[in-house]
Amino acid sequence: MAAPFTLRKIGVPPNSANLTEARRRVFDFFRAACRSIPTIMDIYNLQDIVAPSQLRYAISAQIRNNAHITDPKVIDLLIFKGMEELTDIVDHAKQRHHIIGQYVVGEGLVQNTGNKDQGKTDFLKNFYTSNYF
Amino acid sequence: MVMEKPQPWLMRLPPSTAHEWRRSIDHPQNPQHIQPPRTNQRVQKDPEACLHKRRLPDPNTAPPEPDKIKGRETEKRRTVTPNPQRRVLTTRGTTAPSEGTRRCTTGYSGVHNKIEKYTHTKKKKKKKKKTIQIHNAMGLGFLASRTIRPASRLLQSHNSNFFLRTIVSKPELQSPESAAVSEPEPPTQILPPRNPVGGARVHFSNPEDAIEVFVDGYAVKVPKGFTVLQACEVAGVDIPRFCYHSRLSIAGNCRMCLVEVEKSPKPVASCAMPALPGMKIKTDTPIAKKAREGVMEFLLMNHPLDCPICDQGGECDLQDQSMAFGSDRGRFTEMKRSVVDKNLGPLVKTVMTRCIQCTRCVRFASEVAGVQDLGILGRGSGEEIGTYVEKLMTSELSGNVIDICPVGALTSKPFAFKARNWELKATETIDVSDAVGSNIRVDSRGPEVMRIIPRLNEDINEEWISDKTRFCYDGLKRQRLSDPMIRDSDGRFKAVSWRDALAVVGDIIHQVKPDEIVGVAGQLSDAESMMVLKDFVNRMGSDNVWCEGTAAGVDADLRYSYLMNTSISGLENADLFLLIGTQPRVEAAMVNARICKTVRASNAKVGYVGPPAEFNYDCKHLGTGPDTLKEIAEGRHPFCAALKNAKNPAIIVGAGLFNRTDKNAILSSVESIAQANNVVRPDWNGLNFLLQYAAQAAALDLGLIQQSAKALESAKFVYLMGADDVDVDKIPKDAFVVYQGHHGDKAVYRANVILPASAFTEKEGTYENTEGFTQQTVPAVPTVGDARDDWKIVRALSEVSGVKLPYNSIEGVRSRIKSVAPNLVHTDEREPAAFGPSLKPECKETMGTTPFQAVVENFYMTNSITRASKIMAQCSAVLLKK
């Protein structure tokens, strides 16, 4: 299914020259995502579950998770993947339970795990992830 | 065509292919024969033009001087400590020469390939080169032995001994007088240096007594009692054999090792014939090759066509040697005989039809294992190997016959039909089921350990491992802890994340007083985790951290008081053993095997003080308790005379005595015995202590000793790191117990928090064996579930508890260990004890009267892995003597 025309022009050619351009692309992506929120709520019937501001919060949290990255190429790739995900959602290629499970922040659902590990050493972070580091 | 009278023992197969024709006795490139006219050959008719293919030695240059010829380096002395991973070739005696495990069949493929090059056929047959699995059993020496075999080199060497034969027959060759004329001396050539097979080192017990023999034209110096086969091994020639094994007595019944010796009327069995000075041995002549083909044909006549269903396929000596040395077709058209299978127990699977009656298992059982269970019944083609009576093989070394058997007659029953050897990944690691630290090779497929095989180590376990070591691997798959768990208020365990588990433990540990914190390391713990545990507990303010098996009051100040001071290989030089409170057969089967070997080789006497036990060598039961010790110490016992007359007495004290209350008195009386009989001398230290667990020696080196006997009873926080033998009833009811381990064994049921750790096959850990030899395990399979390495868990816990330890990598832990016990960092080295008994203060206590107890009731179930193993359960049900 074709993506709506709002999304067409945000296709990311993978060649941001510098960090500023990458930042601009990130914000463009965020704007496009926020503009598609009403469509998403309509497609998946999320009106009673979640408010648009919560969805915006979820998107911005995910972007903020990668706020520490400085390499433009990496940022480009992340935006590409974000666009992929957004296109999938808007195309109705996902289903309601996916959206609820992945993006609706509530009890027992997606939690913001970015803050817990701030003060810990690399050793502990690696230890929690896996045995091999 | 001139044909000599056909020798009866040379079976001439009709040459059916040109390939065969090449190998038969009539081929022109085999010397001294005249070629019949042939039709299809690419060789040019012009005799002179053929010579360009071979560069004859230039007669103008002088042959090089002998001292410049490298390779005669067998007498070079080694100045470094000999590497126990390399085999030792010695004359038969107490130190029997060693051979690699039978999977090391190396040079065979070389012969097969080189012969191919010289076939002159119209169409090139595509012969598939048989790939022989390279097992990393022998290390670099293995690669050395895979160099081109000298036989083939001669065929393609440029300055060959044999001048190229032309097609034309000369009159001189036809007349008998010319045969009497001796051949002109071949020019001396620089032969490339040769290394002994498998990188073995040759042990000259008497360097003046070395003799020189010639193997395929190559001169080697060998010690006096060597056999022809051993001399060929030194020269780098691997002679095929089935019945010969370097650690067993010589049988000479397979006849596969036949080689040609000059001036001998028939080929000799090289495994049995002693090498005499000046002997010229030829291993690649047509006679030798014909003999091998013949023997192979005979062996295969009655051998069933079981390769697809036989477990030995892929690592079978018969397969390899028939490919390399056998002929490609047989002539047997009758019915093959079959033999009924024998039941030898739950460990050894027998398919006796495949047996080739090499008698290796019979000799192993009677010599190395010391039990005369197996024997040959019948004669001729009706020969059977069996126990005659319906008897199971109950010896603790019975699994080694699986390695020894060259065919698939004796295989591993738990491993039957599970995997082929080429799909397994081999990892060389160390066994931790007892304090010996046998070298093993773990064969794994993916995340699963499929089997365990011994590795060669001359100093510790030679080529054998005990049944417990060999078959405990299926315990690694059962009862594994894979997720951190916390016990709920209703008493059931709930799986939680690592964050929560460590947070809970970190909270509670701050609520108890420092003296009430107790840490106990288990019997399978490696040195790194014990170091980190001790550091953590000490930083929390407590001194109560010890290892299982060391009761209160054991001090680790002097290393001689808990190590085997005669090393395990040094026990071979002893001529008298006094075993006090130890049953080596169940405590350390490899030490027992060494004692058995010594007793068998030099008729050493053995005296034993302790509860009645089974021994597989002649042993005098002197008494059961400390009273006997007192008698020996005072000289009243009849055994004292033997003790005084012994040149190298060895006293072995079991570590089970460390748990007694009168331990100091017993040890001082042992030391007085040692002093009275000159057991501890500068050149021979015969006072030995046999530890029970793999972690004990490292623990005592690191200082994990129990300061007070009441520590456990007054504890409020108990950290059990794999400690299952701790008396759980002694822990107070309100204590908070953390269990960190890999199996849900006994202590888990008392725990409040479970932290899953990795087992010895999944981690890289340092272990010190009972003689002070430090070794490292290597991870063979990935950890189960969410488990972590032991030391990482304690380090993470320390950080969560606020007492962050200063290291965060394994190198950091090891440098910390280096500052405490540097011998634990020098892997593969033995650090002997520095001081002797003279430094110990006098002991004033008196000995009790309770007799010594047996330390191990069930040989097959001593640690958490073996208790979880189904095979071990079967063994203890069936094989233990009631």
Side-chain angles (χ1 to χ4, degrees):
Chain A
M1 239 170 79
F5 75 97
T6 43
L7 297 179
R8 287 252 186 252
K9 53 187 163 102
I10 317 287
V12 180
N15 51 3
S16 303
N18 48 23
L19 195 56
T20 336
E21 200 178 330
R23 256 176 83 87
R24 193 179 56 77
R25 287 223 168 89
V26 170
F27 292 140
D28 288 343
F29 164 68
F30 180 64
R31 266 183 230 118
C34 289
R35 282 180 192 135
S36 351
I37 285 182
T39 324
I40 294 171
M41 293 190 64
D42 184 45
I43 294 173
Y44 297 98
N45 292 327
L46 300 171
Q47 293 87 354
D48 302 318
I49 311 274
V50 74
S53 61
Q54 281 181 302
L55 284 178
R56 277 196 292 273
Y57 175 75
I59 301 172
S60 61
Q62 299 237 339
I63 296 178
R64 225 170 265 126
N65 237 348
N66 296 319
H68 56 283
I69 298 188
T70 52
D71 188 357
K73 289 204 183 89
V74 177
I75 296 177
D76 279 339
L77 191 66
L78 289 169
I79 298 174
F80 180 78
K81 295 191 96 55
M83 272 310 295
E84 219 179 5
E85 179 80 4
L86 182 60
T87 314
D88 279 345
I89 293 178
V90 166
D91 279 349
H92 207 347
K94 293 211 166 200
Q95 286 167 339
R96 198 166 178 256
H97 67 279
H98 294 124
I99 312 297
I100 295 178
Q102 289 166 359
Y103 297 105
V104 176
V105 180
E107 300 179 359
L109 296 175
V110 176
Q111 274 134 16
N112 246 336
T113 51
N115 305 327
K116 255 206 240 180
D117 284 336
Q118 294 304 355
K120 302 203 170 75
T121 53
D122 281 338
F123 177 88
L124 212 51
K125 284 195 218 159
N126 291 335
F127 178 85
Y128 288 145
T129 332
S130 112
N131 187 33
Y132 298 106
F133 57 87
Chain B
M1 185 167 89
V2 172
M3 294 258 299
E4 72 273 25
K5 185 160 170 284
Q7 326 287 0
W9 60 90
L10 290 180
M11 298 176 348
R12 259 205 220 180
L13 294 172
S16 49
T17 59
H19 171 82
E20 263 213 320
W21 166 242
R22 162 72 185 86
R23 276 196 277 147
S24 82
I25 225 165
D26 302 318
H27 194 276
Q29 282 188 322
N30 301 326
Q32 311 292 346
H33 287 282
I34 302 158
Q35 186 182 357
R38 291 171 41 168
T39 50
N40 51 346
Q41 47 195 355
R42 293 197 197 130
V43 177
Q44 294 155 8
K45 300 283 194 266
D46 182 10
E48 254 57 58
C50 293
L51 291 177
H52 79 274
K53 281 194 190 160
R54 306 264 172 113
R55 260 195 302 114
L56 302 174
D58 192 346
N60 299 328
T61 59
E65 287 104 39
D67 60 347
K68 291 225 185 84
I69 299 177
K70 295 204 187 83
R72 320 286 176 90
E73 301 201 275
T74 43
E75 288 165 69
K76 186 161 106 170
R77 297 262 172 216
R78 294 175 62 110
T79 49
V80 297
T81 326
N83 181 3
Q85 315 286 351
R86 304 176 80 202
R87 315 177 305 168
V88 177
L89 302 176
T90 67
T91 49
R92 309 200 57 78
T94 40
T95 50
S98 72
E99 179 185 285
T101 57
R102 61 177 171 69
R103 280 146 189 87
C104 173
T105 52
T106 68
Y108 302 157
S109 72
V111 177
H112 192 64
N113 291 335
K114 295 298 165 285
I115 288 176
E116 245 185 83
K117 267 172 97 170
Y118 294 96
T119 43
H120 302 293
T121 43
K122 250 194 274 190
K123 59 175 173 49
K124 267 279 194 241
K125 281 205 204 134
K126 271 227 185 111
K127 286 237 161 87
K128 276 220 243 338
K129 180 168 154 183
K130 172 153 169 64
T131 51
I132 296 185
Q133 181 86 349
I134 298 182
H135 295 275
N136 194 13
M138 303 307 292
L140 287 176
F142 190 94
L143 293 172
S145 64
R146 280 204 94 208
T147 54
I148 302 177
R149 287 199 56 215
S152 356
R153 178 174 285 128
L154 279 176
L155 288 172
Q156 58 177 2
S157 66
H158 296 300
N159 43 356
S160 143
N161 267 337
F162 307 114
F163 298 92
L164 180 68
R165 294 279 171 188
T166 63
I167 305 163
V168 174
S169 153
K170 301 197 179 64
E172 297 90 53
L173 290 166
Q174 302 249 8
S175 65
E177 292 84 35
S178 66
V181 172
S182 58
E183 276 238 324
E185 267 309 311
T188 50
Q189 43 197 307
I190 311 173
L191 289 169
R194 295 220 203 156
N195 299 318
V197 168
R201 28 184 183 121
V202 190
H203 171 72
F204 286 87
S205 48
N206 201 355
E208 297 87 32
D209 245 345
I211 53 181
E212 189 173 38
V213 296
F214 299 91
V215 175
D216 291 340
Y218 184 82
V220 284
K221 280 220 175 341
V222 294
K224 190 151 174 251
F226 263 30
T227 52
V228 169
L229 192 146
Q230 291 176 304
C232 294
E233 273 186 354
V234 173
V237 175
D238 204 359
I239 294 184
R241 79 292 295 263
F242 288 111
C243 70
Y244 172 79
H245 190 87
S246 44
R247 294 191 197 270
L248 305 173
S249 56
I250 296 175
N253 57 26
C254 73
R255 314 309 288 177
M256 192 67 185
C257 56
L258 295 174
V259 297
E260 188 182 348
V261 168
E262 210 162 281
K263 298 192 211 71
S264 162
K266 44 186 184 171
V268 313
S270 52
C271 64
M273 166 78 85
L276 306 167
M279 214 180 216
K280 289 200 184 27
I281 303 162
K282 294 199 270 271
T283 60
D284 53 353
T285 55
I287 293 184
K289 293 181 184 163
K290 223 28 177 202
R292 291 174 193 155
E293 282 176 26
V295 171
M296 211 66 233
E297 189 178 348
F298 275 130
L299 285 174
L300 291 172
M301 262 185 221
N302 263 329
H303 198 75
L305 305 178
D306 276 355
C307 286
I309 53 173
C310 175
D311 281 311
Q312 202 95 320
E315 47 188 16
C316 175
D317 277 1
L318 202 65
Q319 273 182 346
D320 299 338
Q321 290 181 29
S322 70
M323 284 300 289
F325 303 106
S327 60
D328 64 340
R329 58 200 66 203
R331 297 176 278 190
F332 186 67
T333 46
E334 284 92 53
M335 296 289 290
K336 300 196 181 216
R337 68 102 174 86
S338 60
V339 180
V340 63
D341 293 343
K342 316 287 184 296
N343 179 18
L344 292 182
L347 300 177
V348 182
K349 174 180 170 196
T350 61
V351 182
M352 298 320 285
T353 316
R354 301 174 191 160
C355 176
I356 54 173
Q357 291 91 26
C358 68
T359 61
R360 270 187 188 178
C361 53
V362 173
R363 285 175 279 144
F364 174 84
S366 74
E367 292 166 25
V368 180
V371 292
Q372 264 113 23
D373 277 347
L374 294 171
I376 286 228
L377 310 152
R379 296 160 80 158
S381 64
E383 271 185 329
E384 289 183 22
I385 303 250
T387 50
Y388 189 61
V389 292
E390 295 273 332
K391 193 167 180 291
L392 306 174
M393 272 193 86
T394 50
S395 161
E396 74 279 2
L397 296 178
S398 66
N400 292 299
V401 295
I402 298 168
D403 290 332
I404 274 210
C405 181
V407 296
L410 300 173
T411 49
S412 161
K413 207 180 243 188
F415 183 64
F417 307 128
K418 288 263 162 45
R420 283 296 189 195
N421 75 320
W422 57 79
E423 53 185 7
L424 300 174
K425 176 182 114 171
T427 313
E428 300 186 347
T429 173
I430 307 292
D431 161 59
V432 296
S433 62
D434 55 12
V436 169
S438 327
N439 289 189
I440 55 174
R441 193 185 93 195
V442 170
D443 285 345
S444 59
R445 180 175 63 186
E448 197 186 334
V449 172
M450 300 304 293
R451 67 176 175 184
I452 292 182
I453 298 259
R455 222 180 356 128
L456 172 74
N457 188 322
E458 286 285 356
D459 292 338
I460 302 178
N461 65 317
E462 295 180 301
E463 279 175 56
W464 321 121
I465 45 174
S466 69
D467 282 353
K468 187 164 53 169
T469 309
R470 190 183 287 267
F471 293 113
C472 67
Y473 59 84
D474 76 329
L476 293 166
K477 303 175 207 163
R478 286 187 70 237
Q479 297 278 69
R480 290 301 297 268
L481 303 171
S482 61
D483 288 307
M485 294 205 232
I486 302 184
R487 201 190 279 267
D488 260 347
S489 41
D490 58 351
R492 297 176 62 91
F493 279 109
K494 194 177 61 138
V496 295
S497 71
W498 274 105
R499 274 197 189 82
D500 298 337
L502 290 183
V504 163
V505 179
D507 271 340
I508 302 224
I509 204 171
H510 281 292
Q511 294 167 14
V512 290
K513 290 209 283 284
D515 283 334
E516 295 165 345
I517 300 178
V518 163
V520 185
Q523 45 169 298
L524 305 177
S525 313
D526 53 339
E528 284 93 0
S529 49
M530 289 198 286
M531 181 81 257
V532 180
L533 179 69
K534 181 161 167 59
D535 273 351
F536 172 58
V537 174
N538 286 348
R539 279 200 187 209
M540 293 303 300
S542 161
D543 205 11
N544 303 320
V545 54
W546 67 87
C547 178
E548 270 185 336
T550 47
V554 172
D555 69 272
D557 297 330
L558 299 168
R559 283 180 85 229
Y560 84 89
S561 62
Y562 55 85
L563 287 186
M564 185 158 275
N565 296 303
T566 330
S567 52
I568 297 181
S569 53
L571 286 179
E572 285 180 20
N573 300 327
D575 54 358
L576 181 123
F577 292 94
L578 178 57
L579 308 173
I580 301 177
T582 170
Q583 299 89 39
R585 195 168 184 194
V586 289
E587 286 182 28
M590 285 300 113
V591 173
N592 195 47
R594 219 40 106 122
I595 299 177
C596 182
K597 182 179 177 190
T598 316
V599 167
R600 198 192 151 76
S602 61
N603 254 339
K605 297 199 199 16
V606 184
Y608 167 66
V609 180
E614 281 242 358
F615 285 91
N616 46 352
Y617 36 82
D618 288 325
C619 170
K620 274 210 269 291
H621 190 184
L622 305 176
T624 48
D627 307 325
T628 328
L629 263 190
K630 217 189 302 190
E631 285 179 31
I632 300 178
E634 291 165 9
R636 287 183 280 134
H637 202 279
F639 192 69
C640 296
L643 204 52
K644 275 217 186 332
N645 293 336
K647 273 201 292 289
N648 291 336
I651 305 179
I652 304 184
V653 184
L657 297 184
F658 289 173
N659 296 329
R660 288 171 66 103
T661 43
D662 53 350
K663 128 174 79 11
N664 285 332
I666 292 182
L667 293 181
S668 75
S669 107
V670 166
E671 278 165 26
S672 60
I673 298 177
Q675 206 160 6
N677 296 296
N678 206 12
V679 173
V680 181
R681 312 189 286 259
D683 60 329
W684 168 262
N685 187 341
L687 182 58
N688 301 304
F689 292 84
L690 183 58
L691 296 172
Q692 291 174 271
Y693 303 132
Q696 255 180 317
L700 291 167
D701 272 356
L702 289 173
L704 273 84
I705 45 180
Q706 192 174 3
Q707 308 282 16
S708 74
K710 298 280 172 254
L712 203 52
E713 275 124 20
S714 63
K716 290 274 180 306
F717 180 92
V718 182
Y719 196 95
L720 301 173
M721 195 166 74
D724 286 301
D725 291 336
V726 153
D727 197 356
V728 176
D729 301 324
K730 272 212 225 157
I731 306 177
K733 291 281 175 285
D734 58 345
F736 187 85
V737 178
V738 179
Y739 181 81
Q740 171 187 317
H742 41 78
H743 273 83
D745 206 32
K746 299 185 205 158
V748 157
Y749 297 100
R750 172 63 189 85
N752 295 85
V753 173
I754 297 178
L755 302 174
S758 49
F760 77 98
T761 45
E762 301 151 9
K763 68 179 168 190
E764 188 185 326
T766 309
Y767 289 91
E768 189 185 349
N769 77 349
T770 179
E771 58 172 3
F773 196 94
T774 314
Q775 298 174 111
Q776 259 194 4
T777 56
V778 177
V781 288
T783 48
V784 169
D786 226 358
R788 304 277 187 267
D789 286 344
D790 292 272
W791 73 267
K792 286 184 188 159
I793 300 177
V794 185
R795 163 68 179 75
L797 179 59
S798 76
E799 187 166 338
V800 168
S801 313
V803 288
K804 188 168 88 130
L805 292 166
Y807 33 77
N808 58 4
S809 68
I810 194 133
E811 290 85 23
V813 180
R814 290 208 177 118
S815 58
R816 169 80 180 117
I817 291 180
K818 190 170 177 160
S819 63
V820 174
N823 63 311
L824 287 176
V825 185
H826 306 139
T827 41
D828 293 334
E829 271 178 36
R830 179 175 174 255
E831 179 79 29
F835 299 105
S838 49
L839 281 185
K840 253 224 169 120
E842 282 290 320
C843 165
K844 302 285 181 294
E845 298 166 13
T846 47
M847 284 201 278
T849 47
T850 40
F852 298 142
Q853 305 290 335
V855 187
V856 172
E857 294 101 36
N858 184 350
F859 165 69
Y860 293 105
M861 294 199 159
T862 49
N863 57 32
S864 54
I865 301 178
T866 46
R867 280 190 285 259
S869 154
K870 181 170 152 224
I871 309 172
M872 293 288 109
Q874 282 174 326
C875 290
S876 30
V878 172
L879 294 178
L880 279 185
K881 298 172 196 20
K882 298 288 179 290

